[in-house]
Amino acid sequence: MRKVLRESLSLLLAGQISSILREDAPQHQMQLSYEDFSQLQPDVADSSWRGAMLKAKRRRWVMSRQEGEFTRFQLTKYGREQLAADFAAFQRVREYSTTWTLLILQPLEGKRQQYAALKRELDQRGAALVVSSVYAWPSEVYNQDLVRRLEELGFIPCFLPIDPRKSRPTQLEAFWRSGRALQRKIRVLEKTSKDCASLLTKLHADKKLHHQQKSKIGSVLLSGMATFQQFQWFELDVELLETLIFPLAEQLDELAKQYQRTESEKSV
């Protein structure tokens, strides 16, 4: 998905992040015009937003309606479902079982390895890349059809059922969650939370925003959502969800709603 199209859809999804992560019914639908897109991301040309919305309408991801001189867009149910797939890691957390599956791959001698097709296949099946040539699922997934498909792609697969709680000396979940990559994501979320709180304070106090603040709102919304989308299921636990991720999702939703309310009041 091209960058501007992805950002436009992400901005339309703002206001529904908490419901996506919790798998609840959406409480708010953003309705944004080309002018809103340009205010939230002023470095993007107006023609780019128009091209993005044209593609999104063709794919049935958004619908539009005329409101005076403005054309406003919002996500369709189908569009929301497509975007929800970017947050699949949060749904996988709820699927944890006592047995996980590790897949170790070795190139099959005498056969050409199709790495791009392998990645697509395993992504579609919900596998997470742990380290090079090692994938994992939070459940049992072994089946002969998958074995045959992996062999067709040029690999010898070895499936290992494991109980992550019985790993020694460190439980597997703690081992995977101790890396630098996860800590960087957490730092980004913490900064985003502070920025979001500051913007909400200004919105509640001033009831009016200047252009730089609108641009900051767009940046904060996109930063938070992009970081959420980068999480792997094995990086998530209840403490992280309850203390940082869910509260930030609610902050982002509130920021989106307050932005739209402020802009609506201004246009009255």
Side-chain angles (χ1 to χ4, degrees):
M1 195 185 300
R2 306 297 288 271
K3 183 174 184 289
V4 176
L5 177 58
R6 178 174 292 279
E7 290 185 350
S8 65
L9 295 172
S10 293
L11 291 171
L12 288 172
L13 188 65
Q16 303 182 52
I17 305 305
S18 180
S19 64
I20 288 283
L21 300 189
R22 295 180 183 274
E23 295 189 277
D24 293 332
Q27 300 298 312
H28 181 75
Q29 279 269 25
M30 287 291 279
Q31 299 179 15
L32 300 177
S33 65
Y34 292 124
E35 290 74 9
D36 289 315
F37 288 130
S38 295
Q39 289 174 345
L40 292 167
Q41 284 290 85
D43 293 337
V44 179
D46 183 62
S47 59
S48 296
W49 296 120
R50 295 181 182 276
M53 286 298 97
L54 182 60
K55 291 177 183 176
K57 286 188 71 174
R58 285 174 178 168
R59 298 176 187 180
R60 298 183 290 112
W61 292 341
V62 303
M63 57 181 146
S64 64
R65 65 183 178 85
Q66 200 67 28
E67 189 176 282
E69 61 182 299
F70 297 105
T71 302
R72 299 196 182 278
F73 300 91
Q74 69 180 62
L75 291 174
T76 61
K77 181 180 178 182
Y78 176 69
R80 185 180 189 273
E81 290 171 350
Q82 299 304 301
L83 295 178
D86 290 337
F87 302 90
F90 297 89
Q91 281 77 58
R92 299 307 300 274
V93 173
R94 297 176 176 84
E95 299 172 12
Y96 279 1
S97 68
T98 56
T99 302
W100 292 6
T101 302
L102 289 186
L103 167 63
I104 303 173
L105 294 169
Q106 178 174 304
L108 186 60
E109 188 176 351
K111 195 153 188 177
R112 180 173 174 271
Q113 284 71 54
Q114 302 177 51
Y115 286 96
L118 170 72
K119 183 179 185 304
R120 286 195 301 272
E121 182 74 25
L122 293 176
D123 283 349
Q124 290 171 3
R125 293 177 181 265
L129 177 63
V130 181
V131 294
S132 180
S133 299
V134 179
Y135 291 81
W137 288 265
S139 58
E140 295 189 66
V141 298
Y142 173 81
N143 64 75
Q144 284 298 320
D145 287 339
L146 179 54
V147 170
R148 281 193 293 270
R149 179 57 179 152
L150 295 173
E151 290 175 344
E152 289 171 1
L153 296 174
F155 299 90
I156 300 174
C158 177
F159 290 86
L160 300 176
I162 61 170
D163 184 338
R165 301 166 304 175
K166 295 181 178 179
S167 52
R168 297 291 184 270
T170 303
Q171 288 194 5
L172 196 54
E173 298 101 316
F175 177 78
W176 280 344
R177 293 178 187 134
S178 63
R180 292 181 181 178
L182 175 59
Q183 297 309 311
R184 283 196 296 270
K185 295 173 189 177
I186 290 174
R187 286 195 294 273
V188 171
L189 293 184
E190 290 172 339
K191 181 181 184 304
T192 302
S193 181
K194 291 179 181 178
D195 291 342
C196 195
S198 175
L199 287 169
L200 283 169
T201 299
K202 289 182 172 63
L203 274 171
H204 289 302
D206 300 338
K207 310 297 182 183
K208 185 178 180 181
L209 291 170
H210 56 66
H211 291 298
Q212 288 183 337
Q213 288 173 325
K214 294 173 184 176
S215 172
K216 183 66 173 177
I217 288 173
S219 176
V220 167
L221 289 172
L222 292 174
S223 174
M225 283 187 277
T227 307
F228 285 153
Q229 292 165 355
Q230 292 172 12
F231 276 93
Q232 299 270 26
W233 56 263
F234 57 79
E235 295 175 317
L236 299 168
D237 61 12
V238 173
E239 182 180 2
L240 181 58
L241 289 172
E242 296 296 339
T243 61
L244 179 58
I245 289 177
F246 288 157
L248 176 55
E250 290 166 2
Q251 279 183 303
L252 294 174
D253 286 347
E254 180 62 21
L255 183 61
K257 288 185 281 188
Q258 288 297 323
Y259 165 81
Q260 188 158 62
R261 180 187 59 78
T262 302
E263 291 301 289
S264 298
E265 289 178 354
K266 186 186 72 173
S267 63
V268 173

